[in-house]
mmCIF file of all heavy atoms in Angstrom:
data_model
loop_
_atom_site.group_PDB
_atom_site.id
_atom_site.type_symbol
_atom_site.label_atom_id
_atom_site.label_comp_id
_atom_site.label_asym_id
_atom_site.label_seq_id
_atom_site.Cartn_x
_atom_site.Cartn_y
_atom_site.Cartn_z
ATOM 1 N N ARG A 59 67.715 192.720 104.247
ATOM 2 C CA ARG A 59 66.568 191.842 103.974
ATOM 3 C C ARG A 59 66.794 191.027 102.688
ATOM 4 O O ARG A 59 66.464 189.848 102.632
ATOM 5 C CB ARG A 59 65.288 192.672 103.869
ATOM 6 C CG ARG A 59 64.809 193.218 105.212
ATOM 7 C CD ARG A 59 63.367 193.693 105.135
ATOM 8 N NE ARG A 59 63.233 194.854 104.247
ATOM 9 C CZ ARG A 59 63.362 196.111 104.642
ATOM 10 N NH1 ARG A 59 63.650 196.389 105.904
ATOM 11 N NH2 ARG A 59 63.202 197.116 103.785
ATOM 12 N N ARG A 60 67.353 191.672 101.676
ATOM 13 C CA ARG A 60 67.649 190.942 100.438
ATOM 14 C C ARG A 60 68.713 189.871 100.671
ATOM 15 O O ARG A 60 68.622 188.765 100.143
ATOM 16 C CB ARG A 60 68.117 191.912 99.355
ATOM 17 C CG ARG A 60 66.999 192.741 98.752
ATOM 18 C CD ARG A 60 67.553 193.691 97.707
ATOM 19 N NE ARG A 60 66.489 194.309 96.931
ATOM 20 C CZ ARG A 60 66.698 195.152 95.935
ATOM 21 N NH1 ARG A 60 67.944 195.464 95.584
ATOM 22 N NH2 ARG A 60 65.679 195.673 95.272
ATOM 23 N N PHE A 61 69.717 190.225 101.460
ATOM 24 C CA PHE A 61 70.757 189.242 101.778
ATOM 25 C C PHE A 61 70.160 188.019 102.462
ATOM 26 O O PHE A 61 70.472 186.873 102.095
ATOM 27 C CB PHE A 61 71.837 189.870 102.672
ATOM 28 C CG PHE A 61 72.741 188.849 103.301
ATOM 29 C CD1 PHE A 61 73.761 188.264 102.572
ATOM 30 C CD2 PHE A 61 72.546 188.451 104.620
ATOM 31 C CE1 PHE A 61 74.580 187.301 103.142
ATOM 32 C CE2 PHE A 61 73.363 187.494 105.205
ATOM 33 C CZ PHE A 61 74.384 186.916 104.467
ATOM 34 N N LEU A 62 69.310 188.243 103.477
ATOM 35 C CA LEU A 62 68.724 187.122 104.212
ATOM 36 C C LEU A 62 67.806 186.282 103.313
ATOM 37 O O LEU A 62 67.779 185.053 103.432
ATOM 38 C CB LEU A 62 67.943 187.641 105.426
ATOM 39 C CG LEU A 62 68.797 188.162 106.589
ATOM 40 C CD1 LEU A 62 67.908 188.789 107.650
ATOM 41 C CD2 LEU A 62 69.646 187.037 107.185
ATOM 42 N N LEU A 63 67.060 186.928 102.426
ATOM 43 C CA LEU A 63 66.197 186.188 101.507
ATOM 44 C C LEU A 63 67.022 185.230 100.665
ATOM 45 O O LEU A 63 66.685 184.033 100.534
ATOM 46 C CB LEU A 63 65.434 187.170 100.616
ATOM 47 C CG LEU A 63 64.604 186.537 99.486
ATOM 48 C CD1 LEU A 63 63.483 185.683 100.056
ATOM 49 C CD2 LEU A 63 64.042 187.619 98.565
ATOM 50 N N LEU A 64 68.119 185.729 100.091
ATOM 51 C CA LEU A 64 68.966 184.878 99.260
ATOM 52 C C LEU A 64 69.708 183.838 100.095
ATOM 53 O O LEU A 64 69.946 182.711 99.643
ATOM 54 C CB LEU A 64 69.967 185.740 98.489
ATOM 55 C CG LEU A 64 69.354 186.668 97.435
ATOM 56 C CD1 LEU A 64 70.408 187.619 96.889
ATOM 57 C CD2 LEU A 64 68.733 185.868 96.303
ATOM 58 N N PHE A 65 70.092 184.188 101.310
ATOM 59 C CA PHE A 65 70.782 183.266 102.214
ATOM 60 C C PHE A 65 69.927 182.039 102.485
ATOM 61 O O PHE A 65 70.390 180.890 102.374
ATOM 62 C CB PHE A 65 71.119 184.002 103.516
ATOM 63 C CG PHE A 65 71.912 183.188 104.492
ATOM 64 C CD1 PHE A 65 73.293 183.186 104.443
ATOM 65 C CD2 PHE A 65 71.272 182.429 105.473
ATOM 66 C CE1 PHE A 65 74.038 182.430 105.359
ATOM 67 C CE2 PHE A 65 72.001 181.682 106.386
ATOM 68 C CZ PHE A 65 73.383 181.677 106.330
ATOM 69 N N TRP A 66 68.650 182.280 102.837
ATOM 70 C CA TRP A 66 67.757 181.158 103.135
ATOM 71 C C TRP A 66 67.326 180.422 101.853
ATOM 72 O O TRP A 66 67.136 179.213 101.863
ATOM 73 C CB TRP A 66 66.526 181.642 103.900
ATOM 74 C CG TRP A 66 66.849 182.155 105.271
ATOM 75 C CD1 TRP A 66 66.681 183.416 105.758
ATOM 76 C CD2 TRP A 66 67.427 181.404 106.349
ATOM 77 N NE1 TRP A 66 67.108 183.513 107.054
ATOM 78 C CE2 TRP A 66 67.567 182.286 107.449
ATOM 79 C CE3 TRP A 66 67.835 180.084 106.497
ATOM 80 C CZ2 TRP A 66 68.102 181.888 108.666
ATOM 81 C CZ3 TRP A 66 68.377 179.676 107.714
ATOM 82 C CH2 TRP A 66 68.494 180.571 108.775
ATOM 83 N N LEU A 67 67.201 181.148 100.758
ATOM 84 C CA LEU A 67 66.852 180.520 99.488
ATOM 85 C C LEU A 67 67.940 179.546 99.053
ATOM 86 O O LEU A 67 67.639 178.454 98.549
ATOM 87 C CB LEU A 67 66.640 181.589 98.407
ATOM 88 C CG LEU A 67 66.299 181.076 97.000
ATOM 89 C CD1 LEU A 67 65.017 180.250 97.004
ATOM 90 C CD2 LEU A 67 66.189 182.240 96.020
ATOM 91 N N ASN A 68 69.176 179.907 99.268
ATOM 92 C CA ASN A 68 70.293 179.021 98.939
ATOM 93 C C ASN A 68 70.176 177.693 99.676
ATOM 94 O O ASN A 68 70.338 176.614 99.094
ATOM 95 C CB ASN A 68 71.607 179.727 99.292
ATOM 96 C CG ASN A 68 72.830 178.897 98.956
ATOM 97 O OD1 ASN A 68 72.806 178.034 98.079
ATOM 98 N ND2 ASN A 68 73.917 179.157 99.659
ATOM 99 N N ILE A 69 69.881 177.758 100.957
ATOM 100 C CA ILE A 69 69.702 176.536 101.761
ATOM 101 C C ILE A 69 68.485 175.754 101.282
ATOM 102 O O ILE A 69 68.528 174.523 101.137
ATOM 103 C CB ILE A 69 69.567 176.894 103.252
ATOM 104 C CG1 ILE A 69 70.878 177.529 103.760
ATOM 105 C CG2 ILE A 69 69.212 175.658 104.079
ATOM 106 C CD1 ILE A 69 70.805 178.063 105.175
ATOM 107 N N ALA A 70 67.400 176.465 101.002
ATOM 108 C CA ALA A 70 66.163 175.802 100.563
ATOM 109 C C ALA A 70 66.360 175.069 99.239
ATOM 110 O O ALA A 70 65.828 173.964 99.038
ATOM 111 C CB ALA A 70 65.038 176.829 100.440
ATOM 112 N N LEU A 71 67.122 175.656 98.322
ATOM 113 C CA LEU A 71 67.351 175.015 97.028
ATOM 114 C C LEU A 71 68.160 173.733 97.176
ATOM 115 O O LEU A 71 67.913 172.749 96.468
ATOM 116 C CB LEU A 71 68.064 175.986 96.083
ATOM 117 C CG LEU A 71 67.221 177.159 95.574
ATOM 118 C CD1 LEU A 71 68.095 178.168 94.838
ATOM 119 C CD2 LEU A 71 66.091 176.675 94.668
ATOM 120 N N SER A 72 69.120 173.722 98.100
ATOM 121 C CA SER A 72 69.878 172.496 98.368
ATOM 122 C C SER A 72 68.979 171.416 98.961
ATOM 123 O O SER A 72 69.085 170.241 98.616
ATOM 124 C CB SER A 72 71.047 172.790 99.312
ATOM 125 O OG SER A 72 72.060 173.499 98.651
ATOM 126 N N ALA A 73 68.096 171.834 99.857
ATOM 127 C CA ALA A 73 67.162 170.877 100.459
ATOM 128 C C ALA A 73 66.200 170.327 99.412
ATOM 129 O O ALA A 73 65.909 169.122 99.384
ATOM 130 C CB ALA A 73 66.395 171.537 101.600
ATOM 131 N N TRP A 74 65.697 171.194 98.533
ATOM 132 C CA TRP A 74 64.790 170.734 97.476
ATOM 133 C C TRP A 74 65.481 169.703 96.582
ATOM 134 O O TRP A 74 64.897 168.672 96.252
ATOM 135 C CB TRP A 74 64.306 171.916 96.642
ATOM 136 C CG TRP A 74 63.519 171.480 95.436
ATOM 137 C CD1 TRP A 74 63.974 171.303 94.165
ATOM 138 C CD2 TRP A 74 62.137 171.098 95.415
ATOM 139 N NE1 TRP A 74 62.978 170.858 93.343
ATOM 140 C CE2 TRP A 74 61.832 170.724 94.086
ATOM 141 C CE3 TRP A 74 61.137 171.051 96.384
ATOM 142 C CZ2 TRP A 74 60.567 170.305 93.716
ATOM 143 C CZ3 TRP A 74 59.868 170.635 95.999
ATOM 144 C CH2 TRP A 74 59.591 170.264 94.685
ATOM 145 N N TYR A 75 66.720 170.011 96.189
ATOM 146 C CA TYR A 75 67.483 169.075 95.353
ATOM 147 C C TYR A 75 67.587 167.715 96.028
ATOM 148 O O TYR A 75 67.319 166.672 95.412
ATOM 149 C CB TYR A 75 68.878 169.640 95.092
ATOM 150 C CG TYR A 75 69.865 168.608 94.604
ATOM 151 C CD1 TYR A 75 69.802 168.107 93.306
ATOM 152 C CD2 TYR A 75 70.860 168.110 95.450
ATOM 153 C CE1 TYR A 75 70.701 167.149 92.867
ATOM 154 C CE2 TYR A 75 71.765 167.166 95.015
ATOM 155 C CZ TYR A 75 71.679 166.682 93.729
ATOM 156 O OH TYR A 75 72.562 165.722 93.294
ATOM 157 N N ALA A 76 67.985 167.699 97.290
ATOM 158 C CA ALA A 76 68.203 166.430 97.984
ATOM 159 C C ALA A 76 66.906 165.665 98.198
ATOM 160 O O ALA A 76 66.825 164.456 97.952
ATOM 161 C CB ALA A 76 68.891 166.690 99.325
ATOM 162 N N PHE A 77 65.858 166.361 98.627
ATOM 163 C CA PHE A 77 64.620 165.664 98.981
ATOM 164 C C PHE A 77 63.775 165.294 97.759
ATOM 165 O O PHE A 77 62.784 164.576 97.893
ATOM 166 C CB PHE A 77 63.815 166.495 99.984
ATOM 167 C CG PHE A 77 64.292 166.315 101.392
ATOM 168 C CD1 PHE A 77 65.300 167.117 101.902
ATOM 169 C CD2 PHE A 77 63.770 165.318 102.196
ATOM 170 C CE1 PHE A 77 65.757 166.941 103.193
ATOM 171 C CE2 PHE A 77 64.214 165.122 103.492
ATOM 172 C CZ PHE A 77 65.219 165.941 103.996
ATOM 173 N N TRP A 78 64.167 165.759 96.565
ATOM 174 C CA TRP A 78 63.498 165.256 95.366
ATOM 175 C C TRP A 78 63.758 163.761 95.196
ATOM 176 O O TRP A 78 62.970 163.056 94.574
ATOM 177 C CB TRP A 78 63.971 166.020 94.130
ATOM 178 C CG TRP A 78 63.292 165.584 92.871
ATOM 179 C CD1 TRP A 78 63.818 164.845 91.854
ATOM 180 C CD2 TRP A 78 61.918 165.825 92.516
ATOM 181 N NE1 TRP A 78 62.880 164.616 90.874
ATOM 182 C CE2 TRP A 78 61.701 165.213 91.260
ATOM 183 C CE3 TRP A 78 60.864 166.505 93.134
ATOM 184 C CZ2 TRP A 78 60.472 165.257 90.611
ATOM 185 C CZ3 TRP A 78 59.643 166.546 92.484
ATOM 186 C CH2 TRP A 78 59.454 165.927 91.243
ATOM 187 N N PHE A 79 64.840 163.274 95.788
ATOM 188 C CA PHE A 79 65.198 161.864 95.680
ATOM 189 C C PHE A 79 64.737 161.062 96.898
ATOM 190 O O PHE A 79 65.100 159.901 97.050
ATOM 191 C CB PHE A 79 66.716 161.723 95.493
ATOM 192 C CG PHE A 79 67.231 162.506 94.318
ATOM 193 C CD1 PHE A 79 67.990 163.654 94.496
ATOM 194 C CD2 PHE A 79 66.923 162.121 93.026
ATOM 195 C CE1 PHE A 79 68.440 164.390 93.421
ATOM 196 C CE2 PHE A 79 67.370 162.841 91.939
ATOM 197 C CZ PHE A 79 68.133 163.978 92.139
ATOM 198 N N TYR A 80 63.923 161.673 97.754
ATOM 199 C CA TYR A 80 63.365 160.978 98.922
ATOM 200 C C TYR A 80 62.395 159.888 98.462
ATOM 201 O O TYR A 80 61.577 160.104 97.568
ATOM 202 C CB TYR A 80 62.658 161.988 99.819
ATOM 203 C CG TYR A 80 61.966 161.382 101.014
ATOM 204 C CD1 TYR A 80 62.660 160.576 101.904
ATOM 205 C CD2 TYR A 80 60.614 161.624 101.245
ATOM 206 C CE1 TYR A 80 62.023 160.023 103.006
ATOM 207 C CE2 TYR A 80 59.964 161.076 102.345
ATOM 208 C CZ TYR A 80 60.678 160.273 103.221
ATOM 209 O OH TYR A 80 60.043 159.716 104.298
ATOM 210 N N LYS A 81 62.500 158.743 99.076
ATOM 211 C CA LYS A 81 61.711 157.581 98.637
ATOM 212 C C LYS A 81 60.212 157.777 98.792
ATOM 213 O O LYS A 81 59.416 157.102 98.133
ATOM 214 C CB LYS A 81 62.154 156.330 99.393
ATOM 215 C CG LYS A 81 62.012 156.403 100.901
ATOM 216 C CD LYS A 81 62.623 155.174 101.560
ATOM 217 C CE LYS A 81 62.546 155.227 103.079
ATOM 218 N NZ LYS A 81 63.190 154.046 103.707
ATOM 219 N N GLY A 82 59.814 158.745 99.622
ATOM 220 C CA GLY A 82 58.396 159.002 99.789
ATOM 221 C C GLY A 82 57.719 159.559 98.547
ATOM 222 O O GLY A 82 56.497 159.496 98.406
ATOM 223 N N TRP A 83 58.521 160.113 97.615
ATOM 224 C CA TRP A 83 57.969 160.643 96.368
ATOM 225 C C TRP A 83 57.580 159.533 95.381
ATOM 226 O O TRP A 83 56.787 159.766 94.471
ATOM 227 C CB TRP A 83 59.009 161.526 95.663
ATOM 228 C CG TRP A 83 59.157 162.926 96.158
ATOM 229 C CD1 TRP A 83 60.148 163.409 96.955
ATOM 230 C CD2 TRP A 83 58.300 164.036 95.881
ATOM 231 N NE1 TRP A 83 59.976 164.760 97.184
ATOM 232 C CE2 TRP A 83 58.835 165.167 96.526
ATOM 233 C CE3 TRP A 83 57.125 164.194 95.130
ATOM 234 C CZ2 TRP A 83 58.256 166.428 96.463
ATOM 235 C CZ3 TRP A 83 56.546 165.460 95.054
ATOM 236 C CH2 TRP A 83 57.105 166.543 95.726
ATOM 237 N N GLN A 84 58.195 158.358 95.509
ATOM 238 C CA GLN A 84 58.113 157.360 94.440
ATOM 239 C C GLN A 84 56.686 156.944 94.072
ATOM 240 O O GLN A 84 56.376 156.815 92.878
ATOM 241 C CB GLN A 84 58.940 156.120 94.801
ATOM 242 C CG GLN A 84 59.182 155.173 93.626
ATOM 243 C CD GLN A 84 59.783 155.874 92.414
ATOM 244 O OE1 GLN A 84 60.602 156.774 92.535
ATOM 245 N NE2 GLN A 84 59.349 155.461 91.222
ATOM 246 N N PRO A 85 55.783 156.719 95.033
ATOM 247 C CA PRO A 85 54.410 156.360 94.627
ATOM 248 C C PRO A 85 53.765 157.420 93.725
ATOM 249 O O PRO A 85 53.075 157.076 92.757
ATOM 250 C CB PRO A 85 53.666 156.241 95.961
ATOM 251 C CG PRO A 85 54.730 155.904 96.958
ATOM 252 C CD PRO A 85 55.945 156.660 96.500
ATOM 253 N N LEU A 86 54.011 158.699 94.029
ATOM 254 C CA LEU A 86 53.457 159.769 93.204
ATOM 255 C C LEU A 86 54.116 159.777 91.823
ATOM 256 O O LEU A 86 53.439 159.971 90.796
ATOM 257 C CB LEU A 86 53.655 161.114 93.903
ATOM 258 C CG LEU A 86 53.039 162.336 93.202
ATOM 259 C CD1 LEU A 86 51.522 162.187 93.098
ATOM 260 C CD2 LEU A 86 53.405 163.615 93.960
ATOM 261 N N LYS A 87 55.418 159.557 91.773
ATOM 262 C CA LYS A 87 56.131 159.529 90.495
ATOM 263 C C LYS A 87 55.669 158.374 89.615
ATOM 264 O O LYS A 87 55.667 158.469 88.388
ATOM 265 C CB LYS A 87 57.647 159.444 90.730
ATOM 266 C CG LYS A 87 58.254 160.725 91.289
ATOM 267 C CD LYS A 87 59.767 160.594 91.441
ATOM 268 C CE LYS A 87 60.372 161.888 91.955
ATOM 269 N NZ LYS A 87 61.840 161.820 92.093
ATOM 270 N N GLU A 88 55.284 157.280 90.239
ATOM 271 C CA GLU A 88 54.792 156.137 89.465
ATOM 272 C C GLU A 88 53.435 156.437 88.835
ATOM 273 O O GLU A 88 53.105 155.924 87.771
ATOM 274 C CB GLU A 88 54.699 154.899 90.360
ATOM 275 C CG GLU A 88 56.069 154.329 90.741
ATOM 276 C CD GLU A 88 55.983 153.203 91.750
ATOM 277 O OE1 GLU A 88 54.834 152.903 92.188
ATOM 278 O OE2 GLU A 88 57.020 152.631 92.113
ATOM 279 N N ARG A 89 52.645 157.299 89.491
ATOM 280 C CA ARG A 89 51.328 157.647 88.956
ATOM 281 C C ARG A 89 51.402 158.774 87.925
ATOM 282 O O ARG A 89 50.605 158.813 86.990
ATOM 283 C CB ARG A 89 50.388 158.060 90.101
ATOM 284 C CG ARG A 89 49.914 156.898 90.955
ATOM 285 C CD ARG A 89 48.699 157.280 91.785
ATOM 286 N NE ARG A 89 49.011 158.287 92.770
ATOM 287 C CZ ARG A 89 49.432 158.018 94.017
ATOM 288 N NH1 ARG A 89 49.600 156.755 94.390
ATOM 289 N NH2 ARG A 89 49.679 158.989 94.867
ATOM 290 N N ILE A 90 52.353 159.686 88.093
ATOM 291 C CA ILE A 90 52.488 160.834 87.177
ATOM 292 C C ILE A 90 53.830 160.710 86.474
ATOM 293 O O ILE A 90 54.886 161.036 87.046
ATOM 294 C CB ILE A 90 52.390 162.172 87.941
ATOM 295 C CG1 ILE A 90 51.088 162.240 88.739
ATOM 296 C CG2 ILE A 90 52.489 163.345 86.970
ATOM 297 C CD1 ILE A 90 50.983 163.449 89.649
ATOM 298 N N SER A 91 53.829 160.241 85.246
ATOM 299 C CA SER A 91 55.075 159.918 84.548
ATOM 300 C C SER A 91 55.968 161.136 84.340
ATOM 301 O O SER A 91 57.194 161.012 84.313
ATOM 302 C CB SER A 91 54.769 159.267 83.201
ATOM 303 O OG SER A 91 54.068 160.169 82.352
ATOM 304 N N LEU A 92 55.377 162.332 84.208
ATOM 305 C CA LEU A 92 56.178 163.532 83.983
ATOM 306 C C LEU A 92 57.146 163.793 85.136
ATOM 307 O O LEU A 92 58.225 164.355 84.939
ATOM 308 C CB LEU A 92 55.265 164.751 83.785
ATOM 309 C CG LEU A 92 55.966 166.067 83.407
ATOM 310 C CD1 LEU A 92 56.668 165.934 82.057
ATOM 311 C CD2 LEU A 92 54.982 167.225 83.386
ATOM 312 N N LEU A 93 56.787 163.364 86.337
ATOM 313 C CA LEU A 93 57.670 163.539 87.489
ATOM 314 C C LEU A 93 58.911 162.664 87.371
ATOM 315 O O LEU A 93 59.925 162.927 88.032
ATOM 316 C CB LEU A 93 56.922 163.228 88.788
ATOM 317 C CG LEU A 93 55.720 164.114 89.100
ATOM 318 C CD1 LEU A 93 55.077 163.713 90.414
ATOM 319 C CD2 LEU A 93 56.123 165.587 89.136
ATOM 320 N N ASN A 94 58.830 161.609 86.555
ATOM 321 C CA ASN A 94 60.001 160.772 86.294
ATOM 322 C C ASN A 94 60.785 161.272 85.096
ATOM 323 O O ASN A 94 62.007 161.315 85.109
ATOM 324 C CB ASN A 94 59.569 159.326 86.027
ATOM 325 C CG ASN A 94 59.853 158.424 87.213
ATOM 326 O OD1 ASN A 94 60.676 158.728 88.060
ATOM 327 N ND2 ASN A 94 59.172 157.295 87.262
ATOM 328 N N THR A 95 60.076 161.644 84.047
ATOM 329 C CA THR A 95 60.746 161.995 82.802
ATOM 330 C C THR A 95 61.340 163.397 82.822
ATOM 331 O O THR A 95 62.234 163.706 82.040
ATOM 332 C CB THR A 95 59.772 161.875 81.613
ATOM 333 O OG1 THR A 95 58.613 162.679 81.865
ATOM 334 C CG2 THR A 95 59.320 160.432 81.425
ATOM 335 N N PHE A 96 60.851 164.265 83.717
ATOM 336 C CA PHE A 96 61.384 165.623 83.834
ATOM 337 C C PHE A 96 61.995 165.783 85.224
ATOM 338 O O PHE A 96 61.362 165.441 86.226
ATOM 339 C CB PHE A 96 60.277 166.658 83.622
ATOM 340 C CG PHE A 96 60.773 168.067 83.514
ATOM 341 C CD1 PHE A 96 61.220 168.563 82.303
ATOM 342 C CD2 PHE A 96 60.818 168.888 84.623
ATOM 343 C CE1 PHE A 96 61.692 169.868 82.193
ATOM 344 C CE2 PHE A 96 61.287 170.193 84.533
ATOM 345 C CZ PHE A 96 61.716 170.684 83.311
ATOM 346 N N ASN A 97 63.201 166.300 85.288
ATOM 347 C CA ASN A 97 63.939 166.383 86.545
ATOM 348 C C ASN A 97 63.647 167.698 87.268
ATOM 349 O O ASN A 97 64.330 168.711 87.064
ATOM 350 C CB ASN A 97 65.438 166.236 86.267
ATOM 351 C CG ASN A 97 66.249 166.116 87.545
ATOM 352 O OD1 ASN A 97 65.716 166.204 88.648
ATOM 353 N ND2 ASN A 97 67.542 165.924 87.403
ATOM 354 N N PHE A 98 62.662 167.675 88.143
ATOM 355 C CA PHE A 98 62.300 168.881 88.883
ATOM 356 C C PHE A 98 63.303 169.209 89.994
ATOM 357 O O PHE A 98 63.223 170.285 90.594
ATOM 358 C CB PHE A 98 60.895 168.734 89.474
ATOM 359 C CG PHE A 98 59.799 168.837 88.455
ATOM 360 C CD1 PHE A 98 59.279 167.696 87.847
ATOM 361 C CD2 PHE A 98 59.302 170.064 88.078
ATOM 362 C CE1 PHE A 98 58.276 167.781 86.892
ATOM 363 C CE2 PHE A 98 58.302 170.167 87.129
ATOM 364 C CZ PHE A 98 57.787 169.027 86.529
ATOM 365 N N ALA A 99 64.233 168.312 90.262
ATOM 366 C CA ALA A 99 65.280 168.620 91.244
ATOM 367 C C ALA A 99 66.134 169.784 90.794
ATOM 368 O O ALA A 99 66.814 170.430 91.603
ATOM 369 C CB ALA A 99 66.172 167.392 91.463
ATOM 370 N N ARG A 100 66.092 170.100 89.492
ATOM 371 C CA ARG A 100 66.992 171.112 88.940
ATOM 372 C C ARG A 100 66.614 172.544 89.306
ATOM 373 O O ARG A 100 67.214 173.477 88.766
ATOM 374 C CB ARG A 100 67.068 170.950 87.426
ATOM 375 C CG ARG A 100 67.871 169.738 87.008
ATOM 376 C CD ARG A 100 67.903 169.558 85.518
ATOM 377 N NE ARG A 100 68.723 168.434 85.134
ATOM 378 C CZ ARG A 100 68.563 167.742 84.009
ATOM 379 N NH1 ARG A 100 67.593 168.077 83.162
ATOM 380 N NH2 ARG A 100 69.354 166.733 83.721
#
């Protein structure tokens, strides 16, 4: 169970990193400056 949790978490973290740069986020980032100045993709 621990192995599977980390296995799927690894995939999820890669997806989070990539989709932080999805263009659909940009309107929200323009309204909340912290989303631009702080890199939550990390």
Side-chain angles (χ1 to χ4, degrees):
R59 288 196 294 271
R60 285 179 169 182
F61 166 78
L62 287 173
L63 173 64
L64 293 171
F65 184 89
W66 294 117
L67 179 59
N68 181 25
I69 296 173
L71 289 171
S72 287
W74 172 264
Y75 163 74
F77 278 88
W78 182 253
F79 305 108
Y80 176 55
K81 60 186 178 182
W83 279 103
Q84 194 53 37
L86 184 62
K87 289 182 178 181
E88 289 174 358
R89 287 197 294 270
I90 305 173
S91 63
L92 185 63
L93 298 181
N94 255 339
T95 55
F96 189 84
N97 188 356
F98 287 93
R100 287 178 177 154

